[in-house]
Amino acid sequence: GNSCWRVRGRTSAVCERGTPVRCGQAIRLTHLGTGRNLHSHHFASPLSGNQEVSAFGEAGEGDYLDDWMVVCSGTYWVRDGEVRFQHASTDVFLSVTGEQYGRPIHGQKEVHGMAASSQNNYWKVMEGIFMQPSEVFKAEQYHAEL
């Protein structure tokens, strides 16, 4: 349950529920448990020294540093496809490597931003809730399983 994120439109944008996410689209990821957005800025991460990624805001409200570009192949982000998230303001890729925290979150890996794309920045949806697309998008030919 602590790994669930809500996909939302970029800051100050309206995103209709069930609308497919396009490759190249800016989104926000809001943590369901805390209501905070995935956020990054020009500060070093504590373990690796890469760019810090943190949770920011209250009840899904934050700022433009919460926006991430969906980097994928094809037209839409699909359920079983690999995806990268590139920070819209600083261009780093959301990444995880081998650095692990000690206390108080023993064993938790550091998630950070890396300047270059690599095998450490691929992500895949493991579970989620399928939202039925609106009538406008049903007419298009695409794989709508996210």
Side-chain angles (χ1 to χ4, degrees):
N2 198 35
S3 297
C4 294
W5 295 82
R6 179 179 170 201
V7 178
R8 302 174 63 210
R10 65 177 165 73
T11 304
S12 302
V14 176
C15 181
E16 184 180 335
R17 183 172 151 172
T19 302
V21 177
R22 290 186 172 276
C23 297
Q25 180 179 339
I27 63 166
R28 278 177 296 163
L29 294 167
T30 303
H31 187 254
L32 289 181
T34 64
R36 296 181 185 267
N37 297 322
L38 191 67
H39 179 90
S40 192
H41 45 219
H42 288 290
F43 290 95
S45 57
L47 299 180
S48 67
N50 289 309
Q51 187 167 304
E52 182 178 67
V53 172
S54 60
F56 177 76
E58 296 290 331
E61 297 303 319
D63 64 20
Y64 71 99
L65 294 172
D66 301 338
D67 295 344
W68 297 83
M69 302 297 291
V70 176
V71 180
C72 52
S73 59
T75 304
Y76 296 100
W77 176 13
V78 295
R79 181 186 302 178
D80 294 327
E82 290 183 327
V83 64
R84 287 184 168 133
F85 300 104
Q86 188 171 24
H87 194 248
S89 294
T90 65
D91 294 328
V92 297
F93 291 92
L94 183 67
S95 303
V96 64
T97 51
E99 296 85 9
Q100 292 187 0
Y101 290 99
R103 291 184 158 192
I105 48 176
H106 180 72
Q108 179 77 36
K109 290 187 177 185
E110 180 187 73
V111 176
H112 49 255
M114 293 181 73
S117 61
S118 73
Q119 74 277 5
N120 298 319
N121 358 96
Y122 281 107
W123 299 89
K124 195 170 186 179
V125 175
M126 299 305 291
E127 57 187 33
I129 300 170
F130 173 72
M131 300 293 182
Q132 187 65 35
S134 66
E135 293 298 321
V136 173
F137 293 101
K138 286 182 185 177
E140 293 185 28
Q141 295 292 321
Y142 66 93
H143 186 73
E145 295 184 23
L146 179 64

